[in-house]
């Protein structure tokens, strides 16, 4: 009985300490009065995450893991740049040492498309693999998720599992093959999530597949691999971590998200902010504030790069269950409609606005826009990133976080807005059109938005400084 009273006391303390802002006013109880799903909003959330193993040099264990799984025919995926680098060699050595038979696929496209996904899927179908290993950043890991999914469902049409409204958004009901992800960038958190993102070429916009069923079985996080990231790759990967943390922490609360699923299988992976995701997102943000600039400026700073690798995992657990919102929703057409811009330090043969850069360029405008809905959270984020908010006014929360972000981006030599990556005001209608189908994430923004709002946000993002 004493234990029960103590638990109730703790919950009440948490409730009193919780955010009182309009979009997060339900505290940690966050339970609606009715629990029937005949109502409009959800009443529950669930946490899903890959198993995570972390440690310097831990990649040497991958061969033993596959041996323990009884894998006889493994698909190893990476991209052509990484194929020559130590992370892939470390996997090769482990597989050879433990006698694991595998076939090698190194044709993953950086910022994958539906075409590149389908090529990898065809390889997986032909190979009839019993396990998968992906070595790389989000592009490689996401491609491997798709390959595993469709190889295990060979009769499925490609659009069956693609997010609505572009695809059919069908739930994944089959059990997939074991899948080990070895991330080499500190950004996407893809090793923790059930999300795979790609460019849908005919629409010139990004979309994806979202299902807990496609998350890796194991994320093998080896911080030694992060030492091989060039400076701008480290920066843009880190901006993805930053926005994952900020967006998931400020997302619409899970019990304000609609509709309430009629069956748990339809509950989305991106559910809205919740007390557990909040913990991971805030912790990731603290690590970004402490270590990101060091990690970008010095590739040999193992402490900083290791810390950012962990921050990517922490933010992945946060946003993988809470979701992201406008920065990511708006980023997809920014990346998809790229004209001639080629980012420094990316060895690719096509125009490219890296994902993390496309996300962070709109962040000052976005958080200015959302600040009024949960000002306490915006001010808390600004404080974590180094701003003194002691005398700040609630109504200035969005502007304060936006100014904090501008300074952070300026210090890390980020391009001066969308105009610096090739966009003009004439492109805004197309950018808005590409954002509208991203309702899976945009509807998680704490403040609803119209097409006019989106136009204003893109216009405000043309210049940052």
């Amino acid at each position: 009985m004493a234990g029960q009273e103590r638990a109730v006391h703790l919950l009440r303390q948490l409730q009193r300490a919780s955010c009182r802002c309009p979009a997060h006013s339900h505290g940690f109880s966050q339970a609606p009065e009715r629990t029937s799903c005949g109502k409009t909003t959800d009443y529950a959330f669930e946490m899903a995450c890959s198993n995570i193993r972390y440690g310097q040099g831990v990649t040497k264990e991958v061969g033993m893991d596959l041996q323990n799984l009884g894998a006889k025919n493994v698909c190893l995926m990476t991209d052509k740049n990484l194929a020559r680098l130590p992370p892939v060699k470390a996997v090769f050595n482990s597989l050879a040492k433990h006698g694991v038979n595998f076939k090698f696929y190194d044709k993953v496209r950086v910022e994958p498309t539906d075409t590149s996904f389908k090529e990898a899927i065809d390889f997986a179908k032909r190979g009839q693999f019993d396990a998968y290993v992906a070595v790389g950043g989000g592009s490689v890991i996401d491609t491997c998720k798709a390959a595993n999914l469709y190889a295990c469902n060979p009769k499925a049409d490609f659009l069956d599992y693609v997010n609505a409204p572009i695809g059919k958004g069908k739930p994944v009901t089959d059990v997939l093959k074991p899948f080990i992800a070895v991330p080499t960038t500190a950004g996407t958190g893809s090793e923790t999530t059930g999300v795979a993102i790609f460019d849908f070429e005919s629409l010139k916009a990004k979309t994806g597949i979202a299902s807990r069923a496609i998350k890796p079985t194991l994320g093998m996080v080896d911080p030694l691999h992060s030492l091989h990231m060039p400076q701008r790759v480290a920066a843009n990967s880190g901006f993805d971590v930053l926005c994952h943390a900020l967006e998931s922490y400020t997302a619409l609360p899970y019990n304000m998200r609609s509709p309430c699923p009629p069956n748990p299988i339809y509950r989305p992976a991106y559910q809205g902010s919740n007390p557990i995701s909040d913990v991971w997102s805030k912790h990731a943000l603290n690590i970004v504030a402490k270590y990101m600039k060091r990690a970008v400026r010095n590739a040999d700073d193992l402490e900083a790069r290791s810390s950012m690798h962990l921050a990517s995992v922490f933010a992945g657990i946060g946003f993988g269950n809470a979701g992201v919102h406008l920065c990511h929703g708006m980023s997809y057409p920014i990346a998809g409609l790229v004209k001639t811009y080629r980012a420094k330090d990316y060895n690719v043969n096509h125009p490219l606005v890296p994902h993390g850069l496309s996300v962070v360029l709109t962040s000052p405008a976005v958080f200015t826009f959302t600040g009024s809905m949960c000002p306490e959270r915006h001010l808390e984020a600004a404080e974590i990133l180094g701003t003194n908010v002691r005398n700040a006014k609630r109504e200035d929360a969005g502007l304060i976080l936006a100014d904090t972000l501008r300074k952070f981006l300026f210090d890390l030599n980020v391009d001066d807005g969308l105009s610096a990556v090739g966009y003009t005001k004439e492109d805004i209608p197309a950018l808005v059109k590409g954002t509208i189908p991203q309702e899976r994430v945009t509807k998680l923004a704490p403040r609803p938005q119209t097409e006019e709002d989106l136009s204003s946000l893109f216009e405000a993002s043309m210049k940052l400084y």
Side-chain angles (χ1 to χ4, degrees):
M1 194 67 175
Q4 184 181 18
E5 290 175 357
R6 186 177 178 185
V8 170
H9 175 70
L10 178 59
L11 286 170
R12 284 174 178 165
Q13 282 187 314
L14 287 170
Q15 190 173 29
R16 283 195 294 271
S18 63
C19 186
R20 301 296 182 189
C21 54
H24 295 84
S25 59
H26 296 276
F28 281 87
S29 64
Q30 293 197 17
E33 294 179 5
R34 293 173 293 167
T35 58
S36 167
C37 258
K39 64 191 194 60
T40 57
T41 58
D42 210 340
Y43 66 96
F45 71 92
E46 59 185 271
M47 298 300 294
C49 174
S50 306
N51 293 321
I52 298 295
R53 185 182 302 156
Y54 175 88
Q56 292 182 29
V58 74
T59 307
K60 66 185 178 184
E61 297 182 357
V62 67
M64 287 184 279
D65 285 313
L66 292 164
Q67 196 176 58
N68 293 339
L69 287 167
K72 305 296 184 185
N73 183 27
V74 175
C75 175
L76 172 59
M77 285 197 173
T78 191
D79 64 46
K80 288 192 179 296
N81 294 323
L82 278 164
R84 304 186 300 270
L85 295 178
V88 172
K89 291 179 181 177
V91 173
F92 279 157
N93 292 339
S94 183
L95 299 185
K97 180 178 180 180
H98 297 283
V100 177
N101 181 55
F102 70 93
K103 292 184 176 64
F104 187 48
Y105 185 85
D106 66 353
K107 298 178 182 178
V108 171
R109 188 182 194 271
V110 177
E111 302 296 338
T113 64
D114 53 323
T115 300
S116 71
F117 263 22
K118 289 173 183 176
E119 290 170 353
I121 291 165
D122 288 342
F123 178 83
K125 287 180 177 178
R126 291 194 304 271
Q128 296 186 318
F129 301 109
D130 58 8
Y132 291 81
V133 177
V135 186
S139 295
V140 175
I141 298 172
D142 287 2
T143 299
C144 202
K145 289 174 183 175
N148 191 5
L149 170 62
Y150 288 95
C152 290
N153 296 272
K155 294 182 180 179
D157 181 75
F158 181 71
L159 289 177
D160 281 352
Y161 301 118
V162 173
N163 299 323
I166 293 174
K168 298 176 183 177
K170 290 183 177 180
V172 179
T173 56
D174 294 294
V175 177
L176 307 190
K177 302 299 183 184
F179 171 26
I180 299 174
V182 184
T184 59
T185 61
T188 67
S190 186
E191 68 277 6
T192 70
T193 73
V195 178
I197 301 298
F198 64 93
D199 282 311
F200 199 79
E201 292 174 294
S202 62
L203 294 180
K204 293 187 176 180
K206 283 185 183 285
T207 184
I209 302 161
S211 170
R212 296 176 185 88
I214 68 172
K215 70 182 187 299
T217 311
L218 171 66
M220 188 170 280
V221 183
D222 187 337
L224 295 179
H225 299 334
S226 67
L227 299 177
H228 303 286
M229 284 188 293
Q231 185 179 76
R232 296 322 298 172
V233 176
N236 293 327
S237 299
F239 293 138
D240 204 17
V241 180
L242 171 67
C243 288
H244 284 158
L246 288 172
E247 289 174 74
S248 59
Y249 190 56
T250 57
L252 189 76
Y254 75 91
N255 64 341
M256 294 176 67
R257 191 200 76 251
S258 62
C260 181
N263 184 307
I265 198 171
Y266 295 110
R267 182 166 285 118
Y270 287 0
Q271 303 163 93
S273 62
N274 60 78
I276 300 179
S277 285
D278 287 350
V279 173
W280 293 101
S281 298
K282 281 177 62 178
H283 190 47
L285 193 60
N286 275 284
I287 297 173
V288 168
K290 184 175 182 179
Y291 289 108
M292 182 170 166
K293 291 179 183 178
R294 279 174 51 185
V296 172
R297 291 167 179 163
N298 183 2
D300 296 323
D301 189 336
L302 181 59
E303 180 187 20
R305 291 230 165 170
S306 297
S307 297
M308 285 301 296
H309 220 174
L310 269 181
S312 176
V313 173
F314 296 158
I317 298 170
F319 92 87
N321 293 282
V324 287
H325 56 82
L326 283 173
C327 295
H328 272 76
M330 295 169 66
S331 79
Y332 298 147
I334 293 171
L337 294 169
V338 60
K339 300 174 185 176
T340 59
Y341 182 82
R342 291 177 184 254
K344 183 181 177 183
D345 289 340
Y346 288 80
N347 185 19
V348 295
N349 59 3
H350 54 85
L352 174 70
V353 179
H355 174 65
L357 179 60
S358 70
V359 168
V360 83
L361 288 175
T362 62
S363 62
V366 164
F367 291 110
T368 299
F369 177 75
T370 59
S372 62
M373 297 307 295
C374 43
E376 283 89 350
R377 292 191 175 218
H378 286 66
L379 289 173
E380 187 176 8
E383 186 174 35
I384 290 171
L385 291 171
T387 296
N388 184 347
V389 300
R390 186 174 302 171
N391 298 315
K393 297 178 181 178
R394 284 167 48 93
E395 56 267 30
D396 295 331
L399 290 170
I400 291 170
L401 179 54
D403 286 342
T404 303
L405 288 167
R406 285 191 189 92
K407 183 178 185 306
F408 194 83
L409 302 188
F410 183 80
D411 288 347
L412 288 169
N413 301 313
V414 173
D415 300 84
D416 189 11
L418 296 179
S419 60
V421 298
Y423 290 104
T424 68
K425 289 184 179 180
E426 285 68 38
D427 296 310
I428 290 176
L431 292 168
V432 171
K433 183 180 178 181
T435 303
I436 291 170
Q438 312 303 331
E439 60 183 34
R440 178 180 65 95
V441 293
T442 56
K443 70 179 182 181
L444 289 174
R447 180 178 172 182
Q449 65 284 162
T450 64
E451 290 187 31
E452 290 73 21
D453 291 328
L454 292 173
S455 294
S456 297
L457 290 171
F458 279 117
E459 184 172 359
S461 301
M462 287 293 166
K463 298 282 286 184
L464 289 180
Y465 315 121

